[in-house]
């Protein structure tokens, strides 16, 4: 019997994929959502082949109509969403002086508007049921900032504020809202970039107390915990998964 229905955005690769796979193992029916339909479909098929329950859908989380379609696909396939993981993201690096309005707006559209729209789309039924879990994916950069990542850091900081504020509004009605704040995580694309720049890799590792980068599966384990009954007394929190970097 399914533990519930989990909708994970940006689940076609990286941390999102690891979260989808972990929640499927934990017994959730998983809707894999991604802007890339083929990647989403590939993840869903892999989960099903491993014995899990999953389906896929595609759309842009910054687009209100797409979000409505994504949530409808999850509900039609499995039933009301009981766990939402707002993971979809957009990465772009540039010095602040080189950023234009389109760069800034796109970053906030995907991260902040996307989190808002997806949450808005599932929150009503959760409140009616007096039960639900929302986990947002922030970043260590939302706390400490990053060179050439001003717009990204600002967007992730906004997600932290959204998480805490919404938790204050809805936790008494049975809906818990938390966030994870990953540090550098060795997704396939990130690992490739770091391998190509050994000096930067060494400099980054030197700042991390544990002396290593995170793994997507570690981020997924934290989400699985926050989604579980074991975390029933946890809401409005930002779980820092960064090897101790933000402890400084």
């Amino acid at each position: 019997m399914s533990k519930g229905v989990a909708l994970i955005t940006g689940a076609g690769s990286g941390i999102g994929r690891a979260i989808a796979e972990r929640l499927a193992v934990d017994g959730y029916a998983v809707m894999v959502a991604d802007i890339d339909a083929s990647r989403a479909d590939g993840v869903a098929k892999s989960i099903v082949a491993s014995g899990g329950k999953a389906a896929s859908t595609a759309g842009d989380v910054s687009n209100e109509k797409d979000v409505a379609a994504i949530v409808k696909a999850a509900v039609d396939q499995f039933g009301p969403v009981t766990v939402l993981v707002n993971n979809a993201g957009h990465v772009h690096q540039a010095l602040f002086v080189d950023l234009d309005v389109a760069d800034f707006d796109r970053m906030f559209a995907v991260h902040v508007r996307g989190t808002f729209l997806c949450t808005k789309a599932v929150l009503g039924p959760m409140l009616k049921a007096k039960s639900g879990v929302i986990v947002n994916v922030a970043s260590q950069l939302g706390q400490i900032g990053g060179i050439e990542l001003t717009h990204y850091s600002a967007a992730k900081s906004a997600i932290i504020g959204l998480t805490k504020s919404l938790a204050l509004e809805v936790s008494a009605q049975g809906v818990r809202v938390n966030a994870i704040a990953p540090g550098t995580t060795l997704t396939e694309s990130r690992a490739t970039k770091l391998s190509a720049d050994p000096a930067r890799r060494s400099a980054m590792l030197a700042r991390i107390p544990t002396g290593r980068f995170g793994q997507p599966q570690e981020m997924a384990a934290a989400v699985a915990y926050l989604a579980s009954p074991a975390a029933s007394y946890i809401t409005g929190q930002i779980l820092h998964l960064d090897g101790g970097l933000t402890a400084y």
Side-chain angles (χ1 to χ4, degrees):
M1 184 176 179
S2 174
K3 282 187 175 181
V5 178
L7 169 60
I8 303 99
T9 66
S13 61
I15 292 174
R17 176 172 188 154
I19 293 170
E21 291 172 342
R22 172 58 189 267
L23 292 182
V25 168
D26 285 356
Y28 291 89
V30 173
M31 179 55 75
V32 180
D34 199 274
I35 197 168
D36 186 319
S38 63
R39 290 194 308 192
D41 186 55
V43 173
K45 286 180 177 177
S46 176
I47 290 172
V48 171
S50 299
K53 193 172 184 180
S56 68
T57 187
D60 181 346
V61 297
S62 70
N63 183 291
E64 191 170 6
K65 289 183 179 179
D66 280 12
V67 169
I70 288 169
V71 173
K72 184 177 186 302
V75 174
D76 288 349
Q77 185 74 31
F78 299 124
V81 174
T82 59
V83 175
L84 169 66
V85 183
N86 285 307
N87 170 75
H90 170 63
V91 178
H92 171 261
Q93 282 188 247
L95 290 170
F96 184 84
V97 295
D98 296 326
L99 290 176
D100 57 32
V101 172
D103 295 327
F104 187 87
D105 286 351
R106 183 58 183 164
M107 191 64 72
F108 268 72
V110 175
H111 290 277
V112 187
R113 179 181 167 89
T115 296
F116 167 78
L117 289 176
C118 291
T119 301
K120 189 84 168 176
V122 304
L123 186 58
M126 285 183 176
L127 291 174
K128 187 174 181 180
K130 295 184 179 180
S131 178
V133 174
I134 297 168
V135 182
N136 298 322
V137 178
S139 168
Q140 65 177 10
L141 298 183
Q143 298 277 354
I144 63 175
I147 296 172
E148 296 185 350
L149 290 163
T150 305
H151 52 336
Y152 179 88
S153 300
K156 289 301 190 179
S157 184
I159 288 174
I160 290 172
L162 187 156
T163 299
K164 290 178 174 290
S165 297
L166 184 60
L168 293 174
E169 287 189 22
V170 302
S171 295
Q173 299 171 71
V175 179
R176 294 189 295 107
V177 188
N178 292 290
I180 63 169
T184 301
T185 304
L186 291 181
T187 60
E188 185 175 337
S189 61
R190 190 62 166 159
T192 299
K193 289 180 181 179
L194 288 172
S195 295
D197 192 346
R200 177 172 172 75
R201 185 180 190 278
S202 296
M204 291 173 67
L205 281 173
R207 299 178 60 204
I208 303 173
T210 58
R212 69 174 180 86
F213 299 123
Q215 296 292 332
Q217 293 75 20
E218 293 174 307
M219 310 303 132
V223 172
Y225 169 66
L226 290 173
S228 74
S232 62
Y233 199 52
I234 300 175
T235 192
Q237 302 304 306
I238 314 302
L239 184 55
H240 300 281
L241 309 171
D242 56 19
L245 180 61
T246 52
Y248 287 116

